Amino acid sequence: MRNLQLIKRKETENNREYVFRLLRYNIMCLRMIPGEIIRENDIAKMLKVSRTPVHEAVLMLKENYLVEVLPQSSSKVSLVDLNMMREGYFLRNILETTILRQIAGNVSTEVLKQIKENLDRQDQVLESPDLIDKFFVLDDEFHGIFYHTANKSNIWTMVKSVSSHFDRVRHMDAILMSGNRKKLSEDHRKLYQMLMLGIGSGDDIDDFYENHIGSYKNRFDQMLKIYPEYFLL
């Protein structure tokens, strides 16, 4: 647990919620790598909480497919399951293009301001290799706004669970393979324009979105060759 990155606790969080969010953050950002053993006692001691909320958080992570709980033993960070990765990609591609068509050109000024502030924060962290994790937190917030604007907040919660392995691969592409975050940010600006003005007659939203969330594919075969121990093939 030496690489565990602490994050700021929200005022409304109880111990279990905070530990869950912290561990999920560290798994997604590869500070806890696929296959790594989770030592609940060490985490509890580090965070100065009892073992109970740590164990409860681990079980919540299991429900999000991020942790494998071993019977009569310890737990470990799950390997990246390629089938689950493909399902997450499929789900987000279908849902988000549908939502985008629904809300494009009909977003309130208040929400557009929120999106613009998010994009400006993305620009601030874009070039620093030490801030990749913060970029993807903002990326999550950006895409989550689509669902909230379309009154689909519960679906977003479900999507974040089902697409957890897909999201891990996107993080891995940026962290391990130097994936092009600048291109992701440019795509976000294009999406912002669509939300503000509507989808233009020359915009192929299906092709655009497939390339946007599927940008990892350009380096995925190489990633599998270099880090086969991270994947369940």
Side-chain angles (χ1 to χ4, degrees):
M1 299 294 111
R2 289 178 300 175
N3 294 326
L4 202 66
Q5 174 69 48
L6 299 182
I7 58 177
K8 186 176 181 180
R9 181 167 180 163
K10 298 178 181 178
E11 292 183 1
T12 57
E13 285 180 317
N14 59 35
N15 286 341
R16 180 194 64 200
E17 292 166 338
Y18 173 64
V19 176
F20 167 78
R21 191 167 63 88
L22 180 142
L23 293 180
R24 188 184 191 282
Y25 173 87
N26 278 272
I27 291 171
M28 299 304 293
C29 296
L30 288 184
R31 289 190 171 88
M32 298 171 67
I33 64 173
E36 180 174 337
I37 296 296
I38 298 173
R39 307 186 189 283
E40 295 183 11
N41 287 331
D42 291 349
I43 294 171
K45 186 180 297 184
M46 176 184 297
L47 300 179
K48 296 181 173 59
V49 299
S50 70
R51 187 169 178 267
T52 297
V54 177
H55 184 66
E56 291 173 344
V58 168
L59 293 179
M60 291 172 66
L61 289 164
K62 178 178 181 290
E63 293 176 359
N64 280 250
Y65 312 104
L66 293 173
V67 164
E68 180 182 353
V69 177
L70 308 175
Q72 306 297 324
S73 183
S74 57
S75 304
K76 66 179 182 179
V77 178
S78 63
L79 300 180
V80 177
D81 186 309
L82 296 190
N83 286 328
M84 290 199 65
M85 179 200 74
R86 296 184 188 101
E87 287 182 8
Y89 170 81
F90 174 83
L91 183 65
R92 287 195 57 177
N93 196 29
I94 294 296
L95 285 176
E96 291 179 28
T97 51
T98 301
I99 288 173
L100 189 59
R101 287 188 172 95
Q102 176 185 334
I103 65 175
N106 297 294
V107 179
S108 70
T109 301
E110 181 181 352
V111 172
L112 288 172
K113 180 180 177 182
Q114 182 184 357
I115 295 171
K116 179 64 165 54
E117 290 173 349
N118 174 282
L119 292 173
D120 290 342
R121 293 199 303 274
Q122 286 185 35
D123 288 343
Q124 292 170 11
V125 303
L126 188 60
E127 298 301 330
S128 174
D130 298 326
L131 297 176
I132 290 176
D133 49 354
K134 287 184 171 55
F135 176 84
F136 277 105
V137 169
L138 292 167
D139 177 85
D140 259 6
E141 290 178 4
F142 176 82
H143 287 276
I145 292 171
F146 293 11
Y147 293 79
H148 303 320
T149 302
N151 295 315
K152 301 291 189 295
S153 296
N154 290 327
I155 292 179
W156 175 241
T157 300
M158 178 272 293
V159 165
K160 290 310 296 173
S161 174
V162 175
S163 67
S164 59
H165 286 243
F166 165 67
D167 286 339
R168 289 170 79 188
V169 169
R170 294 178 70 233
H171 282 69
M172 292 167 70
D173 179 54
I175 296 168
L176 302 176
M177 310 302 293
S178 300
N180 192 345
R181 283 178 291 149
K182 185 176 181 180
K183 176 63 165 59
L184 294 178
S185 183
E186 290 171 352
D187 285 352
H188 289 166
R189 294 279 176 182
K190 175 65 174 176
L191 289 168
Y192 172 65
Q193 292 293 321
M194 292 182 188
L195 292 171
M196 182 166 52
L197 303 175
I199 299 172
S201 58
D203 292 328
D204 185 338
I205 190 61
D206 294 311
D207 183 66
F208 173 85
Y209 219 85
E210 182 175 341
N211 288 319
H212 173 57
I213 67 170
S215 61
Y216 70 92
K217 293 180 180 179
N218 296 325
R219 294 161 295 275
F220 188 63
D221 286 345
Q222 186 182 5
M223 190 193 305
L224 283 176
K225 291 177 182 177
I226 298 174
Y227 303 100
E229 69 275 15
Y230 287 175
F231 294 90
L232 181 64
L233 303 176

